[in-house]
Amino acid sequence: RHGLLAFDPGFRSTAACKSAITFVDGDKGILLYRGYPIEELAEHSDFIEVAYLLMNGELPTVMQRTQLDLALGSHNLLHEQVLSFYRGFRRDAHPMAVMVGVVGALSAFYHDVMNIRDANDRQLAATRLIAKMPMLAAASYTYSIGRPMRYPNNKLDYASNFLQMMFGSPVAEYVVDPVLARALDVIFTLHADHEQNASTSTVRLAASSGANPFACIAAGIASLWGPAHGGANEAVLKMLMEIGSVENIPKAIARAKDKDDSFRLMGFGHRIYKNFDPRSRVIQAQAKKVLTHLGKDDPLLEIAMRLEEIALKDEYFIGRKLYPNVDFYSGILLRAMGFPMNMFTAVFAVARTAGWVSHWLELQGESHGIDRPRQLYVGKALRHYSKAK
Ligand code: SDX
């Protein structure tokens, strides 16, 4: 067919890879970080402890956690020349476009510690990336609204620091709301890693060539931005706004089922989960908690919950095992916390950096050759050139 050359019968996908970091059972809706259920970590742990677990394979001792906190606190500033990169962007640039550019630019800043054959240098590169992402992301927001960039405050924890850099102002003291800080920390934990998703596979492929870790993470940010992946949380909110009311849900469901209509239920379905994404339940609960705490009543939450209820009774979705994924409720929660829609995926990128650097470290530890996915050739068979008549 298509002049397909007889390809090597021993052809096998080189796409499968081995990793000890995250386990997903899509049929059962199970997600484990280094063997720990995501539900337990979201309830009892915190993002920095989870980042340590993902990078090192075990939960930190008190001393190890203190050392990581100190390391993150001494590397969370951006080089002043990095800040000047922001001024080259239009104010209305998408934060993910800015982050791809600025994180990539970081690869031009740390030659002194970039011997990736050295375990300490590797750990430092990973720590720097986790440490700097909150200021990088917050700066892409404050720049877009013409507000001065804010620096981290090492008296605050990771999530609180991100909130004050995002929403603080030079003319008034920013008081961190502990309920919002906890909700953001849970969001970070839930989004920290997820096996071989598109952006993590992008990071691993770049890392397998021995590329600079900052450049590898910039590649991951680019991949995460897509609406079929990390960009889905922004797409979910736009979809809910377009639906507008509970009465319009049946029409949306019909459009999602219509093959001739490109409309999909954003936040529904998953490459692996053919059951509930365990993260979506935790995020839905946090969304309700934050909205109640803030005394807000978001009509989009009601539309989302009714949409889920109706879709999960519909044979089209049941038959295809399409359930809400991590992105279905995260946008509602982030909006309730004050994040603008175009920052949703940037928040995802801050969290997923913990997973990306863990996979980068895992690959450095192996005598790993360059990854080289193969293909099924469906082009023209061999033929010879002759001049056009
Ligand atoms: C993330 O990989 C990861 O781990 C990603 C992630 C992570 O943590 O890194 O979990 C984060 O990216 C979550 C996914 C966010 N994306 C969305 O919510 C976008 C909406 N979802 C769809 O685009 C879709 O479900 C995908 C992209 C997620 C999966 O696409 P697939 O693999 O093509 O879906 P499928 O093979 O399971 O589809 C089977 C059928 C198809 O119909 P048929 O051809 O069989 O008739 O289901 C249909 C699809 O058309 N379908 C949908 C649908 N998703 C799949 N129909 C309507 N609405 C949807 N959302």
Side-chain angles (χ1 to χ4, degrees):
R1 217 162 35 90
H2 308 299
L4 184 63
L5 290 177
F7 58 85
D8 168 11
F11 178 87
R12 60 177 177 76
S13 163
T14 58
C17 70
K18 66 179 169 41
S19 173
I21 299 173
T22 293
F23 172 77
V24 176
D25 181 328
D27 293 328
K28 296 187 184 123
I30 292 172
L31 169 53
L32 308 177
Y33 286 169
R34 299 284 190 178
Y36 292 99
I38 190 69
E39 296 89 341
E40 290 178 23
L41 293 171
E43 186 175 350
H44 303 299
S45 184
D46 67 79
F47 176 62
I48 297 306
E49 184 174 71
V50 165
Y52 185 98
L53 171 68
L54 291 170
M55 287 192 286
N56 299 290
E58 297 296 339
L59 291 166
T61 61
V62 171
M63 173 61 80
Q64 289 164 334
R65 172 57 191 268
T66 304
Q67 286 167 341
L68 180 55
D69 283 333
L70 288 173
L72 292 170
S74 55
H75 292 289
N76 54 11
L77 279 174
L78 291 178
H79 193 294
E80 285 298 310
Q81 280 174 254
V82 171
L83 293 179
S84 59
F85 276 95
Y86 286 83
R87 292 181 188 88
F89 288 97
R90 286 175 34 163
R91 294 278 182 184
D92 61 352
H94 194 289
M96 288 299 276
V98 175
M99 289 181 73
V100 169
V102 180
V103 173
L106 286 181
S107 49
F109 278 80
Y110 298 107
H111 300 295
D112 52 332
V113 286
M114 272 319 304
N115 170 12
I116 59 176
R117 294 277 156 264
D118 176 284
N120 293 327
D121 279 7
R122 291 200 298 264
Q123 195 59 47
L124 182 49
T127 304
R128 274 189 159 129
L129 276 156
I130 294 174
K132 295 180 190 304
M133 285 305 269
M135 187 175 178
L136 276 161
S140 66
Y141 169 62
T142 51
Y143 175 71
S144 74
I145 58 171
R147 200 185 293 160
M149 294 174 190
R150 291 173 62 83
Y151 293 102
N153 170 355
N154 282 353
K155 295 192 185 80
L156 299 175
D157 63 51
Y158 194 84
S160 302
N161 232 333
F162 185 43
L163 287 172
Q164 72 86 6
M165 287 190 280
M166 277 290 298
F167 304 117
S169 156
V171 295
E173 187 198 354
Y174 180 80
V175 179
V176 176
D177 180 330
V179 173
L180 301 193
R182 176 63 189 148
L184 183 59
D185 193 272
V186 170
I187 286 176
F188 284 154
T189 292
L190 295 172
H191 287 80
D193 194 55
H194 205 249
E195 204 222 62
Q196 301 305 317
N197 58 86
S199 55
T200 299
S201 299
T202 302
V203 171
R204 287 179 70 100
L205 202 53
S208 74
S209 74
N212 178 295
F214 299 95
C216 292
I217 300 309
I221 295 173
S223 173
L224 183 72
W225 190 8
H229 186 14
N233 50 18
E234 185 177 341
V236 168
L237 220 66
K238 287 176 181 167
M239 172 189 74
L240 294 172
M241 289 172 169
E242 186 186 335
I243 292 171
S245 72
V246 171
E247 291 70 34
N248 293 334
I249 289 176
K251 195 167 67 181
I253 296 265
R255 284 190 61 198
K257 293 157 57 174
D258 179 357
K259 284 295 158 222
D260 297 328
D261 191 329
S262 61
F263 180 83
R264 280 196 156 186
L265 283 195
M266 300 312 280
F268 254 74
H270 198 277
R271 276 316 238 154
I272 298 177
Y273 286 122
K274 302 308 172 189
N275 197 323
F276 275 97
D277 178 335
R279 301 168 294 180
S280 68
R281 283 278 158 271
V282 178
I283 290 185
Q284 186 198 65
Q286 284 292 334
K288 287 179 183 173
K289 186 176 171 186
V290 165
L291 285 167
T292 305
H293 170 72
L294 296 175
K296 289 183 178 178
D297 177 22
D298 185 351
L300 298 184
L301 177 61
E302 189 201 354
I303 296 172
M305 291 174 68
R306 281 289 291 141
L307 183 58
E308 173 186 342
E309 186 188 331
I310 296 171
L312 295 187
K313 289 177 186 152
D314 185 302
E315 184 43 40
Y316 174 92
F317 295 91
I318 297 167
R320 290 169 175 79
K321 298 182 179 177
L322 302 176
Y323 291 88
N325 60 49
V326 67
D327 293 300
F328 193 59
Y329 290 103
S330 61
I332 293 169
L333 174 50
L334 289 169
R335 188 169 83 133
M337 296 170 72
F339 286 93
M341 239 184 324
N342 68 0
M343 279 297 292
F344 290 177
T345 313
V347 172
F348 195 153
V350 173
R352 188 53 56 92
T353 296
W356 290 332
V357 299
S358 299
H359 285 270
W360 180 78
L361 287 171
E362 184 176 61
L363 276 174
Q364 307 311 315
E366 299 169 7
S367 55
H368 194 100
I370 190 167
D371 280 338
R372 178 59 175 83
R374 293 307 310 277
Q375 65 172 16
L376 275 177
Y377 178 69
V378 292
K380 294 289 187 193
L382 173 69
R383 55 183 172 168
H384 297 287
Y385 175 81
S386 63
K387 268 237 183 278
K389 297 212 182 9

